[in-house]
Amino acid sequence: MTTTVHSFDTAIDLADNGIGHYIGQTTPEWANMVGPFGGVTAAAIIRAIERHRDRIGEPVALTVNYLAPVTDGSFDITVRAARTNRTNQHWTAEMTQEHGLTTTATAVFGVRRDAWSDTEATMPAAPDPETLTPTTLPVPVPWMRNYEMHYVDGGVPTEPAESTSSTTTLWTRQRPARALDFAALSALSDVFYPRVFLRRGRMLPAGTVSLTTYFHVDGAELAGHGTDYVLASAHAQRFARGYFDQTAQIWGRDATLLATSHQIVYYKD
């Protein structure tokens, strides 16, 4: 029986070259306009830490700083446990290529315990994804073809008309469908096109500078999600002097808040 490896797993496949040192390879399927999709870079870093023999617990937070474009070809990821406490562990990570350092990251892994829980945020109202027509994106960006996207609000602009809102909400999942894990959830945190495109009604040079993702579920909850759609919603708070922020939420269909993220984005208008 032949087993087909999902393109996402190929993109974040890492060879262990010693304790805390991993080697990966970019793939054309996950290319962005310049270099690979930032979400797949974040996913590769999470995967590297997950594979480290000294790792305890599961992802709680991840911050990725994009210093320079990742070029096509091989890359090295080095991870180090900066401190290990009783229930949490702090990591640093660096991605390098022949031309130097491209990405830095910090991560917190933790052992979760039963405790009082509540969700103050409210899941956006949205019709079921099956009732919405999937969007065929007009932009030739390879990585976007790897997601089914059913926009509820704030779809990719197709006409040069400015918007007063930066909010985008969509149902999405990987194409072909793949069970959700922490690496895939890391990538989903960056699944949105730049908010400035929506506000200005056209594509502009833009790129994420720093992305932080907070994970609100453990591995068992995530495994229960399976291959179902998630509802992803993002908006900006301010555009100023060439930078804007983005706040996002990733929800399960059962209204479980899976992750939240915050990023700062460079743009040129």
Side-chain angles (χ1 to χ4, degrees):
M1 179 178 178
T2 301
T3 301
T4 302
V5 178
H6 197 285
S7 69
F8 182 75
D9 293 298
T10 300
I12 64 171
D13 183 47
L14 301 171
D16 192 341
N17 195 30
I19 297 175
H21 184 197
Y22 303 90
I23 300 175
Q25 181 80 25
T26 63
T27 63
E29 293 83 3
W30 288 86
N32 203 347
M33 293 181 180
V34 178
F37 168 45
V40 84
T41 297
I45 290 170
I46 279 288
R47 179 54 52 85
I49 298 172
E50 286 179 324
R51 290 188 54 186
H52 197 286
R53 72 182 190 185
D54 295 334
R55 184 263 301 178
I56 65 169
E58 297 172 326
V60 174
L62 172 69
T63 295
V64 181
N65 302 307
Y66 300 93
L67 282 62
V70 176
T71 58
D72 292 339
S74 66
F75 57 82
D76 292 359
I77 297 177
T78 302
V79 300
R80 179 179 68 89
R83 182 180 176 90
T84 300
N85 300 316
R86 187 167 59 87
T87 59
N88 58 64
Q89 193 173 48
H90 298 258
W91 291 84
T92 63
E94 292 185 345
M95 177 182 286
T96 59
Q97 292 186 294
E98 287 185 357
H99 58 283
L101 187 64
T102 65
T103 314
T104 64
T106 60
V108 178
F109 276 57
V111 178
R112 297 183 184 269
R113 58 185 177 83
D114 290 335
W116 176 83
S117 301
D118 187 41
T119 303
E120 289 196 11
T122 302
M123 183 177 177
D128 290 337
E130 293 83 2
T131 67
L132 300 171
T133 302
T135 298
T136 302
L137 297 168
V139 290
V141 182
W143 74 262
M144 298 182 94
R145 303 182 192 127
N146 296 303
Y147 289 97
E148 295 181 43
M149 296 183 177
H150 301 251
Y151 282 92
V152 178
D153 187 29
V156 180
T158 56
E159 300 293 337
E162 295 191 7
S163 172
T164 58
S165 171
S166 66
T167 299
T168 284
T169 301
L170 72 155
W171 288 103
T172 184
R173 65 178 176 181
Q174 287 188 342
R175 179 192 293 136
R178 176 188 179 279
L180 195 59
D181 56 14
F182 287 110
L185 189 54
S186 300
L188 278 169
S189 295
D190 198 31
V191 77
F192 310 93
Y193 66 87
R195 305 294 81 220
V196 71
F197 291 7
L198 182 57
R199 287 298 309 273
R200 301 292 283 161
R202 56 191 173 89
M203 294 178 63
L204 299 169
T208 300
V209 178
S210 184
L211 167 64
T212 295
T213 301
Y214 300 110
F215 305 93
H216 300 300
V217 290
D218 60 20
E221 289 178 282
L222 208 51
H225 182 83
T227 62
D228 200 5
Y229 292 92
V230 300
L231 186 68
S233 186
H235 68 276
Q237 273 103 190
R238 180 167 167 79
F239 302 81
R241 297 182 179 274
Y243 292 91
F244 71 87
D245 68 321
Q246 176 184 288
T247 297
Q249 299 174 340
I250 309 294
W251 297 85
R253 198 194 290 245
D254 63 355
T256 298
L257 185 58
L258 305 175
T260 52
S261 72
H262 307 274
Q263 64 176 274
I264 192 76
V265 183
Y266 161 84
Y267 69 94
K268 186 176 181 180
D269 192 357

